[in-house]
């Protein structure tokens, strides 16, 4: 069976190999004439990136990776609609070296894209589109170490936004670097970072990124975020001297029907009669499907929280057939951490709306 698979893969690669040999020979001829100035070109187009996500890795990275296709899992890019790498324009590093490397990718923000929020790419998608550290870790050979018995999880990162969220029609370029692989016991991890730009202008940076590969037992033992006493210690909150409430607030909760009405623009059905007949047409609320990431609010206390300025707690129901599970990943279904963060941003928007910060959709942009 393995031999038959190898023969099929080899046959599919013949055309690509011929093209690569022609390209390499042409480069050697050009080098004989002296240094040549070059500009980045497409190394892998969207079709190849999607094939890496859901097809054979060997058809993308070559026959030396054919073994990986037989493992129970492997490092992938997500499937549609969360496959956000439209092209890879540069790859640097030694394949299977388990050292450092670099990949440069691009994401096109198309008008009418499924994720747009007020005409802009949402925070979660702007971060998620820098997902090719997955590709780079596979290119550098992590699957040959894990043998498909450990799966990728992002552990930590610091993300900084330098400007407004990009809009439809713009292209985001991600310059992603894996600095090193290292081990903690039997667990393999790597450190990485990326810089995202639009037309050369910095958009966001990810620093101190750390991801690892964990088996089922290690995942089951995870405790999530563990807060220290310092994290929980109450502190007095600050408000401007001229602060005024736009609406009186009390402790409340909002069930599924209330949140559904809010999503449809009926603020009064969620927050009460004080929000009826507001002079705002088509108010901006929270996104609907497929970016529906909030089902109910369990508790809102305007005086609660560590700083006494308010706290809100909400829930999102996760179903086995949710699109963000089935596409992320076919052999390791897990909710992207970026979408979990977006759940928090939508919950904050509910709090702001209840405070009375109501604006029409064409006059507001929610940004980090």
């Amino acid at each position: 069976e393995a031999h038959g698979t190898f023969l099929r893969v080899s046959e599919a690669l013949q055309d690509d190999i011929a093209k690569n040999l022609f390209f390499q020979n042409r480069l050697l001829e050009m080098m004989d004439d002296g240094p040549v100035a070059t500009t980045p070109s497409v190394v892998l187009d969207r079709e190849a990136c999607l094939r890496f996500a859901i097809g054979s890795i060997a058809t993308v990275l070559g026959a030396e990776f054919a073994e990986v296709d037989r493992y129970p899992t492997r490092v992938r890019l997500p499937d549609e609609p969360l496959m956000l790498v439209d092209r890879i324009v540069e790859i640097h590093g030694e394949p299977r070296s388990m050292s450092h490397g670099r990949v440069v990718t691009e994401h096109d923000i198309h008008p009418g894209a499924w994720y747009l929020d007020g005409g802009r790419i949402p925070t979660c998608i702007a971060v998620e589109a820098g997902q090719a550290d997955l590709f780079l870790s596979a290119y550098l050979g992590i699957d040959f170490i894990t043998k498909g018995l450990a799966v990728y999880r992002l552990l930590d990162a610091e993300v900084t936004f330098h400007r407004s969220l990009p809009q439809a029609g713009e292209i985001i370029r991600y310059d992603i670097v894996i600095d090193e692989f290292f081990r903690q016991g039997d667990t393999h991890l790597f450190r990485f970072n990326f810089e995202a730009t639009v037309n050369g202008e910095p958009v966001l940076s990810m620093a101190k990124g750390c991801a690892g590969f964990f088996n089922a037992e290690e995942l089951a033992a995870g405790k999530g975020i563990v807060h220290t006493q310092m994290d929980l210690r109450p502190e007095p909150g600050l408000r401007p001297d001229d602060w005024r409430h736009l609406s009186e607030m009390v402790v409340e909760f909002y069930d599924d029907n209330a949140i559904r009405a809010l999503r449809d623009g009926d603020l009064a059905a969620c927050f009460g009669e004080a929000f009826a007949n507001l002079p705002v047409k088509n108010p901006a609320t929270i996104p609907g499907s497929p970016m529906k990431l909030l089902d109910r609010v369990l508790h809102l206390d305007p005086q609660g929280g560590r700083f006494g300025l308010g706290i809100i707690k909400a829930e999102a129901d996760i179903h086995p057939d949710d699109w963000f599970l089935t596409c992320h990943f076919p052999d390791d279904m897990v909710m992207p951490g970026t979408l979990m963060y977006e759940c928090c941003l939508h919950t904050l928007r509910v709090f702001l709306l209840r405070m009375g910060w109501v604006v029409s959709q064409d006059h507001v942009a929610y940004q980090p």
Side-chain angles (χ1 to χ4, degrees):
E1 182 179 351
H3 184 61
T5 301
F6 176 77
L7 290 176
R8 288 193 298 273
V9 170
S10 298
E11 184 178 356
L13 284 173
Q14 284 181 357
D15 288 343
D16 287 341
I17 291 173
K19 292 176 183 177
N20 286 337
L21 287 173
F22 175 82
F23 180 62
Q24 291 169 14
N25 289 333
R26 179 62 184 137
L27 284 179
L28 290 172
E29 293 171 4
M30 295 168 68
M31 289 173 67
D32 289 340
D33 297 331
V36 178
T38 61
T39 57
S41 59
V42 175
V43 177
L44 296 176
D45 60 15
R46 183 175 182 83
E47 180 183 350
C49 292
L50 191 58
R51 195 160 66 245
F52 177 87
I54 60 175
S56 164
I57 190 174
T59 63
V60 179
L61 296 184
E64 64 179 308
F65 285 83
E67 175 187 336
V68 176
D69 284 326
R70 299 193 294 271
Y71 295 156
T73 68
R74 69 168 177 84
V75 184
R76 302 175 180 271
L77 292 170
D79 192 2
E80 299 282 23
L82 211 56
M83 209 293 285
L84 303 169
V85 181
D86 287 300
R87 67 197 64 86
I88 294 176
V89 298
E90 295 183 47
I91 304 174
H92 303 272
E94 187 68 26
R96 300 182 58 176
S97 64
M98 285 298 290
S99 60
H100 57 84
R102 174 172 167 250
V103 63
V104 181
T105 71
E106 292 181 340
H107 174 65
D108 303 333
I109 308 176
H110 295 289
W114 61 269
Y115 54 67
L116 289 180
D117 184 10
R120 298 178 182 272
I121 190 171
T123 303
C124 63
I125 302 298
V127 177
E128 184 66 33
Q131 59 197 200
D133 63 293
L134 291 158
F135 170 89
L136 186 56
S137 68
Y139 176 82
L140 294 174
I142 187 61
D143 288 305
F144 293 94
I145 304 297
T146 64
K147 305 293 185 183
L149 301 177
V151 292
Y152 172 100
R153 293 293 185 270
L154 176 64
L155 300 178
D156 197 14
E158 292 181 0
V159 177
T160 303
F161 283 83
H162 305 294
R163 50 152 273 187
S164 297
L165 289 168
Q167 302 181 62
E170 294 186 304
I171 299 173
I172 312 178
R173 173 170 284 214
Y174 296 86
D175 194 329
I176 305 165
V177 174
I178 289 182
D179 298 305
E180 62 172 346
F181 288 87
F182 64 100
R183 288 178 59 178
Q184 184 172 314
D186 294 330
T187 303
H188 287 79
L189 305 99
F190 66 87
R191 295 186 176 93
F192 73 104
N193 62 82
F194 71 64
E195 296 293 331
T197 58
V198 171
N199 295 325
E201 179 186 359
V203 174
L204 68 98
S205 302
M206 175 179 281
K208 301 180 182 179
C210 183
F213 300 87
F214 304 91
N215 60 36
E217 182 179 351
E218 291 169 327
L219 291 175
K223 298 184 183 301
I225 297 174
V226 179
H227 292 289
T228 67
Q229 289 299 315
M230 183 68 72
D231 295 332
L232 302 174
R233 186 179 65 185
E235 292 185 19
L238 300 176
R239 283 195 176 104
D241 293 337
D242 61 350
W243 177 267
R244 66 183 182 88
H245 289 288
L246 298 179
S247 63
E248 293 300 319
M249 298 183 67
V250 295
V251 176
E252 292 178 339
F253 69 92
Y254 314 118
D255 63 16
D256 297 45
N257 291 330
I259 292 299
R260 194 176 298 114
L262 179 64
R263 186 173 286 112
D264 292 338
D266 189 349
L267 279 69
C270 183
F271 298 142
E273 286 303 310
F275 285 77
N277 302 317
L278 294 179
V280 178
K281 293 182 178 179
N282 200 19
T285 57
I286 53 177
S289 184
M291 291 296 286
K292 182 183 82 66
L293 298 172
L294 177 66
D295 286 293
R296 68 196 63 86
V297 170
L298 303 179
H299 181 71
L300 183 153
D301 182 353
Q303 306 299 324
R306 179 184 175 192
F307 304 98
L309 297 178
I311 189 169
I312 181 169
K313 298 181 180 182
E315 286 183 341
D317 296 335
I318 310 300
H319 309 94
D321 59 349
D322 281 333
W323 66 267
F324 49 76
L325 291 181
T326 56
C327 75
H328 186 275
F329 302 91
D331 49 16
D332 173 36
M333 292 194 295
V334 60
M335 185 175 187
T338 52
L339 290 189
M340 295 172 68
Y341 182 70
E342 192 76 12
C343 291
C344 298
L345 293 181
H346 290 188
T347 303
L348 174 62
R349 283 163 74 159
V350 175
F351 192 96
L352 296 177
L353 287 164
R354 179 59 184 85
M355 288 172 61
W357 293 21
V358 180
V359 189
S360 62
Q361 290 186 11
D362 55 351
H363 290 120
V364 67
Y366 285 97
Q367 307 203 60

